[in-house]
Amino acid sequence: MTLKGKKFLLGVTGGIAAYKAAQLARLLVKEGADVRVAMTEAATRFVTPVTLQALTGQAVWTDLWDPRVRDNMGHIELSRDRELIVVAPATADFLAKLAGGLADDLLSTLCAARRSPLLVAPAMNVEMWENAATQRNVHTLRGDGVHFAGPAAGDQACGEVGMGRMLEPEEILAEIEALFQPKPLAGKRVLVTAGPTEEPIDPVRVITNASSGKMGYAVARAAREAGARVTLVSGPTALDAPAGVQRIAVRTAEQMFEAVKKLAPDSDLFFGVAAVSDYRVKNRAAQKIKKGAGGGMTLELIENPDILAWVAALKDAPFCVGFAAESEKLAENAQAKRAKKDVPLLVANLAQRALGADDSEVTLFDDDGRHPLGPAPKLELAREIVAHVARMLAGEKRTRAKA
Ligand code: CTP
């Protein structure tokens, strides 16, 4: 539990999403966090302080002049011992106040006088989010080091559809947890491949591997959380790039190889998570192939380059982590693959167990043997894999593929 005992100030501002702040408070308390709540006057129109008081077991603060605070120093005292201020929802008005450094009510004053980091979860109508002034404020706040959780796109309370919906409380919780991850990869350059590749047969047909890309994206996110500069070379997936990660979109194995060839020599770590198609079609048809009169069809395939093996064989290779989805004899196949590709760490799982799912169960194979992880959400597994790699790097155990 990363958040156990952590001290938060949860700021609630006046938007319809304020009711979700109650759920966020509940989730934080469930994680063992100490949650102090400050609400703007407008927020109390949407959700009552009593609700948040009951959920957090603490007095809720709404007034800059509250006589309960010693010497009327509430603007300093209430946020001084906090490790993070989370404002959820953060309205367009509140973002404007933050960007301008205004302090005309309790919450804006606590933010202005803070020593802790600040995370905001914006919630507003799409037009307000896209308004030039709001975007200018967001840009200013990012530059000031304020962390953003969302917003997301989707249906809005006002009936419109678009960007501006507050993240769900569970998603905000995940963003908060991310801020508290240890930073063992600070300063490292990490390259990750993810997703499937598509090898065209003709303009409308492809050969591909079943892969959602979820594990690779989770690894990229976990490496970013651990402080690394991360580039993600991704085959076609339906996923958004994790925040702070540079994504290069590719389609075929050859395109993935080209991107990796450029980046790998300057990387400290390489995670080959992509389900690269082992073969491509030798003579790709320029036009859609028409069905013959009965009978079958034969495709001639040629082998694709092995991207991971190429990176691992570089003279000054980054620390390489291979991934293998096997359908049987997990340990035997994984060990053989680790030896063949000559990588210090191989993460293996049974394909039937994890394909497309949010959870998985993996085994790490390294010089010290095998380490089972999970079952757990892929992001949690990715964090543990990254932590394992960081320990291997710190111990300088086979830090290069070529020991
Ligand atoms: N890999 C790669 N390039 C390829 C094939 C695989 O970089 N052309 C990487 C994957 O990203 C993964 C690892 O190699 O990290 C193992 O992939 P897998 O498909 O399980 O291995 P293969 O070598 O293709 O072995 P198999 O015979 O089981 O298909």
Side-chain angles (χ1 to χ4, degrees), residues 90-115:
T91 58
D93 177 66
F94 197 75
L95 294 181
K97 267 191 197 175
L98 282 177
L102 297 189
D104 63 353
D105 65 0
L106 179 65
L107 184 58
S108 55
T109 309
L110 289 174
C111 289
R114 76 183 184 278
R115 280 181 181 161

Side-chain angles (χ1 to χ4, degrees), residues 193 209 253 270-278 304-309 321-326 337 340-341 346:
T193 64
N209 281 338
F270 176 72
F271 291 87
V273 200
V276 185
S277 178
D278 286 329
N304 270 328
D306 189 320
I307 301 171
L308 175 62
V321 183
F323 282 69
E326 301 294 341
K337 210 167 267 184
K340 191 179 84 185
K341 308 221 179 191
L346 191 107

